[in-house]
Amino acid sequence: MDFSLSEEQQLVADTIGSFAREVLLPKYAHWDRHELFPREQFLAMGDIGLLGLRVSEAHGGQDMDAVTAGVAMEAAARGDFNCCYGILIACFAGEILGCYGDDAVKAEWLPAMVSGEKIICTCLTEPQSGSDVAGIRTRAVRDGDDYIISGEKASITLVMAGDAGIVFAKTDPAAGAKGVTAFLVPFDLPGVSRAPYSDLGSRGIVRGSLFFDEVRVPARYRIGDEGAAFSRVMQTFDYTRALIGLMCLGAAQASLSETVEYLKSRQSFGQPLSRYQGVSFPVADWAAKMEMARWLCFRTLWLRDREMPHTAEAAMCKMQCPDIAVGAIHECLLLHGHYGYTKDYLQEQRLRDVIGQQIADGTTQIQKLIVSREIFGRDFA
Ligand SMILES: Cc1cc2nc3c(=O)[nH]c(=O)nc-3n(C[C@H](O)[C@H](O)[C@H](O)COP(=O)(O)OP(=O)(O)OC[C@H]3O[C@@H](n4cnc5c(N)ncnc54)[C@H](O)[C@@H]3O)c2cc1C
């Protein structure tokens, strides 16, 4: 066992750490207060390579191993949790499109995504089915050299800023999960429309619905074979769930560091607050939980790099990390006293933002189902 970072990983941690502190963090609250999409941050993330972590060098990406991508994600999340959605969906698109997409479509979309000029959303959830992924109803019907896509997607991150989506649709409804096919669908095609939600957090990023009214998509935009998408999306989730863990923990670590400084400087009864065990013990408790959780994430990514099974570990990351991060940030807010409840500190925003990840990408209950199935086997879970 070797827990040390390689020279390359240390360089990534240092470079992205400085970028997060100097570029992302100072404007983290700005995008929330004004409900603005952080376009300039996406271009800056593109410049520094954050939007191509898992994209091949041939398409302008970094082609990083999974562990190093996790190091980058954790460091970036200390600056701006919401901008990390850009990194996350770029990793998702980079994996699925990069591995299974048509060469011309990859050349058209991946370099633009890596530079931050184009955004490719992940479009799976529908109004009637979120946890029950195989229950999607969006249809794709072959028509000569095209497919005609009709249906509705719900809860799509970056829907208004997005330029295209990896859209999952049924090509064979009778085949259940084996009838799901993925397509890259540019949002400027006739028949695509969208509508934003007003959310508790991640207000500059904007989630929303997507509508497909008989959208004609060239067959070359199909990603992989018909019916092959479901197992691929699940395998990609095994990767993104560990990244989400580090994204949540990065945000929580930022809150904990800020809180430690606050508790050293704020006095009550003639002593710094940090001298009271009622204050320092909760900090110690959350620091320990966060440390355990982050190593689970890195081990999951380490297993992925070695192509070893990691479905249960990935689900454990998603099951634990958002809950731990939300608990830690909530504690940080309380330890700031009444100031924590104001918008003068970042605790309230981080809490609102990170809560979204307790639901997204499979809820805690769904992760428990996956872990139980891995432990007991399908016949007994
Ligand atoms: C911030 C955010 C960003 C998101 N971004 C995207 C995105 O970019 N693309 C996308 O496609 N989707 C996205 N989603 C949607 C997300 O993946 C779904 O919301 C999630 O999978 C849950 O589905 P649902 O909302 O339909 O809840 P439901 O499936 O209706 O579940 C409701 C509740 O019931 C529980 N439940 C459901 N089934 C079971 C069961 N069998 N056993 C026990 N409990 C169960 C759930 O855990 C949950 O608590 C996002 C969601 C959020 C909040």
Side-chain angles (χ1 to χ4, degrees), residues 13-36:
D14 294 344
T15 311
I16 306 301
S18 309
F19 174 78
R21 259 190 321 278
E22 288 155 23
V23 179
L24 296 180
L25 184 63
K27 295 195 87 173
Y28 173 52
H30 170 81
W31 313 110
D32 176 75
R33 302 291 181 266
H34 302 282
E35 296 188 28
L36 285 173

Side-chain angles (χ1 to χ4, degrees), residues 11 14 53 62 96 121 140 145 153 166 199 213 220 224 278 310 327 381:
L11 185 66
D14 294 344
L53 299 179
Q62 309 299 312
I96 293 216
C121 304
D145 288 340
K153 294 287 172 185
I166 300 204
D199 278 347
D213 182 8
R220 69 174 192 284
H310 56 289

Side-chain angles (χ1 to χ4, degrees), residues 135-176:
I136 60 169
R137 293 182 195 160
T138 295
R139 282 283 276 132
V141 179
R142 184 89 196 210
D143 183 36
D145 288 340
D146 302 327
Y147 284 86
I148 311 283
I149 299 186
S150 299
E152 181 180 340
K153 294 287 172 185
S155 187
I156 306 307
T157 297
L158 284 157
V159 72
M160 301 311 283
D163 299 281
I166 300 204
V167 175
F168 296 87
K170 288 260 172 85
T171 38
D172 181 0

Side-chain angles (χ1 to χ4, degrees), residues 85 122 124-125 130-131 155-157 207 356 359-363 365 369:
Y85 276 108
T122 307
L124 189 59
T125 304
S131 304
S155 187
I156 306 307
T157 297
R207 267 181 336 133
I359 303 165
D361 222 76
T363 62
Q365 289 97 318
L369 288 178

